[in-house]
Amino acid sequence: MTPIPAFSNANWSFAVDGLVERPLKFDWERFVALPRTAQVSDFHCVTGWSVYSNTWEGVPLQTLLDQAGVRSGAQTVKFYSGDGVYTDSLTLEQIAEMGDVLVALLHDGKPIPSDLGGPVKLIVPQMYAYKSVKWLNRIELIDGDHDGYWIVRGYAKDAWVGRS
């Protein structure tokens, strides 16, 4: 485990870059002003515990990708954690198939606390929780594949809940 990073409105930033037409850069004030949506989903840990009926509020990942304009050649979306250690990825195909990946800033109506991955956390309801990157601060579109922190440590790259 890495130390929980400390963020404030003054030092937090968020970027969408890489193979995009229009790189996006947000400070906290601009990010929280984005139109948001809410969804209710379950959160499953690969170790066997689950938290059911979570209400998450945030920006759909696809909305951010559409705003940035995905360039030809992009295949994978790489997610960076603000701790500087954790990364993970999803293919553009997986994101389109799921349709519910969210860049969340509220959980059950409250800001996501830092010990649970806030201020911004990726939510991937159809995959195990290790795909839901904590302290999310950058999304990069890349042309190849990426094995993130948990994948290089032996976890399944395709972390689908309930699929074999």
Side-chain angles (χ1 to χ4, degrees):
M1 295 282 293
T2 63
I4 295 172
F7 298 106
S8 70
N9 292 357
N11 73 2
W12 185 87
S13 67
F14 189 89
V16 181
D17 58 22
L19 295 174
V20 297
E21 298 294 333
R22 297 168 298 280
L24 305 175
K25 182 85 169 171
F26 299 94
D27 61 14
W28 183 249
E29 191 173 294
R30 281 192 58 225
F31 190 80
V32 298
L34 291 171
R36 298 191 297 252
T37 188
Q39 73 179 34
V40 177
S41 60
D42 299 334
F43 195 74
H44 301 282
C45 183
V46 72
T47 61
W49 58 267
S50 297
V51 179
Y52 298 98
S53 299
N54 297 277
T55 300
W56 301 101
E57 187 176 324
V59 182
L61 175 60
Q62 191 61 58
T63 299
L64 290 170
L65 297 179
D66 291 346
Q67 283 181 9
V70 177
R71 284 184 25 210
S72 173
Q75 299 171 356
T76 302
V77 180
K78 182 177 176 183
F79 304 98
Y80 293 82
S81 172
D83 68 357
V85 176
Y86 292 101
T87 61
D88 212 317
S89 66
L90 296 168
T91 65
L92 286 169
E93 185 177 303
Q94 289 172 324
I95 293 164
E97 177 184 343
M98 289 185 276
D100 61 357
V101 180
L102 191 69
V103 177
L105 56 131
L106 295 176
H107 177 237
D108 292 335
K110 297 178 184 158
I112 302 169
S114 57
D115 61 332
L116 297 180
V120 174
K121 179 180 180 79
L122 186 70
I123 301 299
V124 187
Q126 297 179 48
M127 292 188 172
Y128 284 106
Y130 64 88
K131 297 298 272 190
S132 294
V133 174
K134 294 179 178 181
W135 313 301
L136 185 67
N137 68 352
R138 181 179 176 211
I139 296 171
E140 178 187 23
L141 281 88
I142 61 175
D143 63 358
D145 197 13
H146 173 73
D147 290 336
Y149 182 89
W150 292 111
I151 293 19
V152 299
R153 287 160 177 77
Y155 285 75
K157 187 172 191 78
D158 289 324
W160 299 106
V161 174
R163 296 189 195 180
S164 15

